[in-house]
Amino acid sequence: MGARHDRLAVAASAALLGLALSLVGCGTGPEGGESTEETAMEETGPTTAELYARRCSACHLAYEPGAFSDERWREILPTMAPMAQIDADEEARILAWLLASN
């Protein structure tokens, strides 16, 4: 089974984590409906949690936001983003999500 099996297991775990986080993190806007940001993300692509899980688990475990301090995330993400093909806008989204989830 080896490394391929391990990567698939991690990817599946990350996908489940993303789903769980998106369900738990479903916020509402001031009118009681979905926030504008959530609606925009749903219409334009993956949620930030899904983006993080997909890009980061391609090479290693997608760590829980609480695994590192805010300061450490600010150090890690700029180093890892280019290797994970995360652009500047995605990096900002992911960092904001990690810090808010921490």
Side-chain angles (χ1 to χ4, degrees):
M1 295 206 181
R4 179 170 162 61
H5 180 267
D6 291 346
R7 276 195 304 227
L8 289 174
V10 168
S13 296
L16 288 174
L17 170 65
L19 176 61
L21 289 173
S22 67
L23 292 174
V24 170
C26 288
T28 58
E31 307 300 318
E34 284 188 332
S35 72
T36 305
E37 181 181 353
E38 286 174 350
T39 303
M41 282 193 288
E42 288 173 8
E43 292 173 1
T44 60
T47 66
T48 305
E50 291 168 339
L51 178 66
Y52 167 78
R54 186 176 344 151
R55 297 288 176 82
C56 298
S57 68
C59 297
H60 59 76
L61 174 69
Y63 295 97
E64 294 285 332
F68 301 106
S69 67
D70 289 358
E71 181 180 324
R72 187 69 180 120
W73 278 122
R74 286 185 181 100
E75 295 169 353
I76 293 170
L77 198 55
T79 302
M80 298 302 290
M83 291 182 276
Q85 299 177 349
I86 295 171
D87 67 30
D89 291 335
E90 292 169 333
E91 182 179 343
R93 274 179 54 197
I94 291 170
L95 181 60
W97 174 78
L98 287 167
L99 300 181
S101 301
N102 202 358

